[in-house]
Amino acid sequence: MKSRTKTTTARPLTNGSASSIANAPAETRRVTTRTIREMKKRGEKVTMVTAYDFTFARLFDDAGADVLLVGDSLSNVIQGNETTIPVTLDEMIYHARLVVRGVREHAMVICDMPFMSFQVSVEEGFRNAGRIMKETGAGGIKIEGGERVTDHVRRMSEAGIPVMGHLGLTPQSIHQFGTYRTRGITKDEANRIKQDAKALQDAGVFAIVLEKVPASLAKEITEMLTVSTIGIGAGKHCDGQVLVMHDLLGLTEEFHPRFVRRYATLAETVRTAIRKYDSDIKKGRFPNESESY
Ligand code: KIV
């Protein structure tokens, strides 16, 4: 299990600065890497949430989320796999396209590079990141790993592909680590994560997800970097926060890590609605006359 832890009315990308977001005309409201940078300077937090389809992307964008992440957690929550390993690049591209279509106003869409889409070589990773950008319309990609992916990050950034890093618990390495425990507890591991964060920044990322690391370490990294940190299970000092939509909406019920706050209980809402629908059909109460032609 992952760490677990429109119609096209999309506005043109105008690199509108965050300071202009509140009062700007619609076409300057779209979040870009520049917006994220300026939000950090102003101490304004970034709200990121995963999304995998058109309908939820539309709702999250309407509600003002800054970044929609088409996470490879789709392997878990959409496909029902135990890990993020099985999801393919083509599947990620398909879902990212749906999410991009849902955004009409504000949110930047970031698509995860799935397992084995970049590990073989820098060139292959670069080509696959290019596919994501060209075939989905996403605003950037996310890649797991530290120093071992800095050449990838450099190559992509130089070509104009915005890259988000991902450190701490990196679920694509589950078979290497064997556990989803908190990372960066030991001094050595904490130092490694700090070095990785600095190396990613130097290579050109615009933000870094910090997953399941101590809040004190995340604070140190956030203060050390000029690029933004987005935490999940990394305490309150990060420049932004991300949660998997199924967790925050209460669609997943068996997954209870302490970093998840449930803002709704949709699983029960859905079950109640379907039970009522079933009962109405069985008893002949649906459809009624006004619902018929
Ligand atoms: O795949 C995902 O959803 C993620 C977030 C949990 C950061 O990587």
Side-chain angles (χ1 to χ4, degrees):
M1 220 168 19
K2 173 124 201 174
S3 93
R4 292 181 53 30
T5 8
K6 105 187 170 177
T7 46
T8 303
T9 51
R11 313 289 183 191
L13 287 170
T14 56
N15 272 337
S17 74
S19 54
S20 65
I21 277 192
N23 306 316
E27 64 271 15
T28 63
R29 284 191 200 137
R30 184 67 79 88
V31 174
T32 66
T33 55
R34 182 169 153 190
T35 321
I36 304 288
R37 258 199 316 275
E38 292 181 355
M39 287 172 85
K40 173 152 184 147
K41 283 191 200 138
R42 286 201 309 279
E44 200 180 314
K45 300 277 188 183
V46 176
T47 301
M48 178 156 119
V49 59
T50 67
Y52 315 95
D53 70 11
F54 170 86
T55 302
F56 279 106
R58 175 61 55 94
L59 291 171
F60 299 166
D61 183 53
D62 284 352
D66 301 310
V67 183
L68 302 188
L69 172 67
V70 187
D72 59 359
S73 52
L74 89 77
S75 177
N76 308 111
V77 296
I78 301 294
Q79 298 180 326
N81 297 310
E82 269 214 17
T83 71
T84 58
I85 304 295
V87 67
T88 67
L89 179 64
D90 285 341
E91 288 163 346
M92 293 299 298
I93 286 175
Y94 170 76
H95 283 273
R97 213 183 278 137
L98 310 186
V99 170
V100 168
R101 217 174 279 151
V103 173
R104 61 180 154 193
E105 177 91 344
H106 176 73
M108 175 184 202
V109 178
I110 298 293
C111 179
D112 248 336
M113 303 251 350
F115 183 64
M116 288 314 290
S117 66
F118 62 91
Q119 283 87 347
V120 172
S121 68
V122 172
E123 280 311 298
E124 191 168 299
F126 180 48
R127 222 183 332 269
N128 286 334
R131 271 197 67 197
I132 291 175
M133 299 300 287
K134 281 183 78 84
E135 295 176 34
T136 71
I141 62 95
K142 176 165 83 59
I143 187 166
E144 289 188 12
E147 278 180 0
R148 71 187 161 85
V149 300
T150 50
D151 286 342
H152 297 70
V153 173
R154 211 165 278 115
R155 188 96 165 85
M156 293 171 195
S157 307
E158 280 167 8
I161 300 175
V163 183
M164 181 178 279
H166 186 155
L167 294 173
L169 175 60
T170 47
Q172 288 175 20
S173 310
I174 182 59
H175 294 306
Q176 187 181 355
F177 292 103
T179 151
Y180 289 117
R181 72 165 171 78
T182 309
R183 303 291 197 265
I185 300 277
T186 66
K187 206 165 172 44
D188 277 357
E189 211 174 44
N191 284 337
R192 177 80 251 162
I193 295 172
K194 279 191 266 184
Q195 268 172 34
D196 280 340
K198 183 71 175 58
L200 285 176
Q201 172 172 280
D202 292 346
V205 299
F206 73 95
I208 301 175
V209 167
L210 294 176
E211 180 162 352
K212 219 171 172 193
V213 299
S216 55
L217 175 61
K219 180 171 188 281
E220 219 183 308
I221 294 172
T222 301
E223 287 168 358
M224 173 183 89
L225 298 181
T226 54
V227 298
S228 299
T229 58
I230 312 284
I232 174 162
K236 66 176 184 184
H237 300 289
C238 293
D239 298 305
Q241 298 290 329
V242 56
L243 282 176
V244 169
M245 58 160 277
H246 290 64
D247 298 336
L248 92 85
L249 294 177
L251 280 161
T252 42
E253 293 179 307
E254 311 81 37
F255 185 61
H256 290 290
R258 84 159 86 152
F259 62 80
V260 168
R261 185 179 295 178
R262 294 201 196 295
Y263 287 86
T265 50
L266 287 199
E268 195 41 40
T269 304
V270 169
R271 269 192 302 262
T272 302
I274 299 299
R275 274 191 212 112
K276 180 99 179 55
Y277 175 58
D278 175 59
S279 155
D280 282 355
I281 291 172
K282 301 280 190 329
K283 292 184 174 143
R285 290 193 296 239
F286 177 80
N288 62 24
E289 262 180 43
S290 69
E291 289 157 337
S292 306
Y293 298 95

